[in-house]
Amino acid sequence: MKLVINVSKRLLNTKPSSFNKSRIRQKYVPHSVEPTKDEISYLQEFLSKHERTVILTGAGFSTESGIPDYRSDKVGLYSRKNYKPMQYQDFIKYASLRQRYWARSYVGWPGYSKIQPSKNHYIVANLERSGVMHWLITQNVDHLHNRAGSLKVTELHGSLYSVRCLSCKMRIPRVDYQRQMEEMNQHWSVQSFERATDGDVILTDDQVKGFQVPSCTSCGGSMMPKIVFFGDNVSKSKVEFLYEKVNQSDSILVLGSSLQVYSGYRFVLRAADQGKPIAIVNIGETRADKLASLKLNVKCGDILPLLQFPASITDDLA
């Protein structure tokens, strides 16, 4: 019988400053009930029985870090605002919409870039170290998994921490583009207290007026965050790479995603087609509930810290 310890207690001692910051904001986390002892046991058993689990995380996973999602009841962006996310074709075609996007992103970036991984991100990183997790697919563009130490991770929809030119494809770090925007907009200043989902904030059309958008310093083209907007497609090579990771796995665990977007849902479908067990931890219904062998309607932060793993991973936490 393997010796097990409660990883969450060791983690809380290892990353105190990060965890204290993540406790500050819970306003974007929908109401949920505490997991029962049986539910904790069911998830523990699921992870103990499988050694090559693919984990898929969605926007609900990062709400505990203070980033709102789109669809959560009462607290998601769709519930609180008449909000429409940026569409890829609109960004490409209309300079006015690019101006609005970058103005909102410029105002939101200083706060967004300071957001820290939650305890959940660190626990997933340590599932990788323990050998339980085969690969991590995240639908989030916040880069928090990487910052928490995950290495076997694919950011399905890209990352807000990189910007590229639509013409010559030159890439620069987002922080460098922020400096360029700051230099061009020294006399433009607005405030917003309403955070959106993708690192931006809510601004009125009047507030956006006068904002200057820097062009590519190499060719003069339009700059775009290195993410997949709504209406765009994940690259075929990335999809095939992740299909192969699912093929190699023995199970899939979904954390904090309603799976309403097909780009992530397809990997759960692939696992189901192969007869692999599927577990879901998410507050509210998901698109794959009928495919799951285990569905827990609880907050990730209420159940993940209660799981136990082989003592061998404690070497990484000392």
Side-chain angles (χ1 to χ4, degrees):
M1 183 176 181
K2 291 184 177 179
L3 173 68
V4 296
I5 69 163
N6 191 305
V7 175
S8 63
K9 292 179 181 178
R10 295 293 298 274
L11 280 171
L12 288 170
N13 290 331
T14 306
K15 299 286 184 179
S17 61
S18 296
F19 291 169
N20 287 337
K21 291 177 182 177
S22 71
R23 289 204 308 254
I24 295 174
R25 305 185 188 94
Q26 292 294 312
K27 64 179 291 187
Y28 302 120
V29 181
H31 173 74
S32 64
V33 297
E34 297 283 330
T36 66
K37 290 183 179 179
D38 284 343
E39 288 174 327
I40 297 167
S41 297
Y42 294 152
L43 185 57
Q44 179 76 62
E45 182 181 6
F46 180 90
L47 289 171
S48 299
K49 287 172 60 177
H50 303 106
E51 298 180 346
R52 296 176 65 81
T53 299
V54 164
I55 295 180
L56 172 65
T57 65
F61 195 79
S62 287
T63 56
E64 293 178 62
S65 286
I67 300 175
D69 64 7
Y70 285 111
R71 297 178 176 84
S72 287
D73 183 42
K74 297 182 181 178
V75 295
L77 206 54
Y78 290 159
S79 298
R80 294 183 290 111
K81 295 284 183 180
N82 183 22
Y83 181 88
K84 294 182 179 180
M86 176 60 68
Q87 300 289 320
Y88 175 70
Q89 289 299 329
D90 290 341
F91 188 93
I92 298 296
K93 291 180 181 178
Y94 304 110
S96 61
L97 295 185
R98 290 195 296 274
Q99 178 195 40
R100 185 183 72 179
Y101 174 85
W102 281 119
R104 290 162 49 152
S105 179
Y106 172 72
V107 176
W109 182 256
Y112 185 82
S113 60
K114 294 177 182 176
I115 291 175
Q116 297 297 311
S118 72
K119 58 189 175 185
N120 302 327
H121 293 93
Y122 289 106
I123 290 170
V124 167
N126 281 286
L127 283 175
E128 176 185 327
R129 296 188 185 96
S130 74
V132 173
M133 189 191 79
H134 177 57
W135 201 261
L136 171 60
I137 305 170
T138 182
Q139 299 173 98
N140 301 332
V141 295
D142 51 40
H143 209 57
L144 292 180
H145 281 297
N146 306 69
R147 291 170 61 188
S150 290
L151 299 176
K152 296 181 178 180
V153 55
T154 297
E155 294 173 312
L156 183 63
H157 298 144
S159 169
L160 285 171
Y161 281 73
S162 181
V163 180
R164 67 183 175 93
C165 174
L166 289 171
S167 299
C168 71
K169 311 306 179 186
M170 181 192 75
R171 297 186 190 181
I172 61 172
R174 177 63 175 78
V175 65
D176 291 349
Y177 196 60
Q178 183 76 7
R179 293 193 190 101
Q180 292 180 25
M181 289 189 285
E182 185 175 358
E183 290 173 0
M184 290 190 68
N185 294 280
Q186 296 182 27
H187 302 292
W188 181 90
S189 178
V190 299
Q191 282 188 321
S192 174
F193 301 99
E194 190 69 35
R195 177 174 287 165
T197 299
D198 293 327
D200 53 343
V201 296
I202 306 298
L203 296 178
T204 66
D205 290 342
D206 284 340
Q207 286 178 304
V208 170
K209 289 179 181 178
F211 184 80
Q212 301 296 313
V213 181
S215 299
C216 174
T217 57
S218 178
C219 74
S222 298
M223 302 297 286
M224 173 179 164
K226 190 68 173 64
I227 63 173
V228 177
F229 281 129
F230 283 84
D232 196 5
N233 296 311
V234 179
S235 69
K236 183 177 179 180
S237 60
K238 183 180 287 189
V239 172
E240 291 302 322
F241 173 82
L242 293 175
Y243 272 149
E244 183 58 27
K245 294 301 179 184
V246 175
N247 294 343
Q248 297 166 357
S249 72
D250 59 9
S251 60
I252 190 165
L253 170 62
V254 179
L255 299 173
S257 176
S258 64
L259 298 170
Q260 292 302 313
V261 178
Y262 179 74
S263 60
Y265 178 56
R266 73 179 104 199
F267 302 111
V268 179
L269 288 177
R270 172 61 66 94
D273 289 343
Q274 296 174 348
K276 294 174 178 176
I278 299 164
I280 301 174
V281 179
N282 186 69
I283 303 173
E285 295 181 359
T286 83
R287 195 175 179 182
D289 282 357
K290 293 182 179 180
L291 302 176
S293 54
L294 175 63
K295 167 63 192 301
L296 302 178
N297 191 39
V298 300
K299 186 171 71 173
C300 291
D302 283 345
I303 194 167
L304 293 183
L306 302 179
L307 300 177
Q308 296 181 328
F309 306 103
S312 59
I313 75 167
T314 62
D315 294 339
D316 296 320
L317 303 178

